[in-house]
Amino acid sequence: MTIEEREELRLFVGKNADYYIAKWEELGEENKISWNWSAFFFGLLWFGYRKMYPHAFGFIVFSLILQYVQVVMKTHPLVIGITNILISVFIGMFGNYLYYQYAKSKIKHIKESIQDERQKTVEIARSGGTSLSTAVAIGLMYLIASSIIDFGLQEDKVEDFREQKSINPWSS
């Protein structure tokens, strides 16, 4: 990693740049595994927080499809739990690598599309960084979609809801 690349990455990452640059330097050319506790514990929210929108939406689609299959197949909760842990481990192991590839790709695109050096610097900083509001919005979007799938596919809940009678507190 050249000094120029390091400074561009530092500008792109913003908060915790030293952590990520150190992890990325450990990765080298061949290695893709580097542990990230935030990615492990927060997965989807971490993607959103780090503005990795394609990864966040890919994760949402994957998770919703997986949830759909699990509900339809009436998967045992233990299997669902183990699956979720394995997915978290995968994101924890490869999160730093995915973020590195994403950052390099965004920076390359910016450098190819903008000629003015000052504007490049501004755009690199703007495109990277973090966004707590995006993480929250993506988390809420996933929660709503997941709830719709969960409620919509569980026929007994739908039937129970349809069969409920109105409760009139004034009648005896």
Side-chain angles (χ1 to χ4, degrees):
M1 187 181 304
T2 67
I3 293 173
E4 180 185 353
E5 290 170 325
R6 187 177 293 114
E7 290 310 308
E8 290 168 345
L9 288 167
R10 182 178 308 287
L11 186 61
F12 182 84
V13 172
K15 191 174 185 179
N16 290 332
D18 291 336
Y19 166 83
Y20 285 103
I21 289 171
K23 289 290 189 178
W24 295 338
E25 287 177 340
E26 287 174 14
L27 286 175
E29 294 298 317
E30 304 275 326
N31 191 13
K32 296 178 182 177
I33 297 174
S34 168
W35 191 256
N36 184 315
W37 284 106
S38 295
F40 171 75
F41 282 115
F42 300 106
L44 173 63
L45 300 177
W46 178 76
F47 287 140
Y49 182 70
R50 284 284 161 196
K51 298 184 179 180
M52 297 171 64
Y53 306 128
H55 296 80
F57 289 109
F59 185 83
I60 287 173
V61 169
F62 169 76
S63 295
L64 293 175
I65 291 170
L66 180 62
Q67 180 183 358
Y68 175 83
V69 169
Q70 289 172 335
V71 170
V72 168
M73 294 181 61
K74 297 180 182 355
T75 305
H76 191 278
L78 181 62
V79 174
I80 293 171
I82 291 170
T83 303
N84 290 341
I85 289 171
L86 291 174
I87 291 168
S88 293
V89 167
F90 178 84
I91 294 171
M93 288 172 60
F94 293 99
N96 289 328
Y97 175 78
L98 293 172
Y99 189 33
Y100 182 51
Q101 294 303 314
Y102 181 74
K104 286 193 324 183
S105 171
K106 291 292 282 187
I107 291 168
K108 180 181 177 193
H109 176 73
I110 291 166
K111 288 172 72 173
E112 289 172 351
S113 62
I114 299 174
Q115 299 306 314
D116 181 53
E117 288 300 318
R118 181 168 159 72
Q119 187 61 32
K120 270 185 209 177
T121 302
V122 169
E123 188 59 24
I124 289 171
R126 188 194 66 75
S127 295
T130 60
S131 175
L132 182 59
S133 60
T134 301
V136 170
I138 287 174
L140 288 173
M141 184 173 60
Y142 173 75
L143 185 62
I144 291 167
S146 176
S147 297
I148 290 169
I149 288 174
D150 191 43
F151 185 78
L153 289 178
Q154 297 194 10
E155 296 167 17
D156 53 338
K157 288 182 181 178
V158 174
E159 289 304 315
D160 289 347
F161 180 75
R162 288 183 185 148
E163 292 175 5
Q164 284 181 349
K165 294 190 167 105
S166 172
I167 299 173
N168 184 346
W170 305 110
S171 66
S172 47

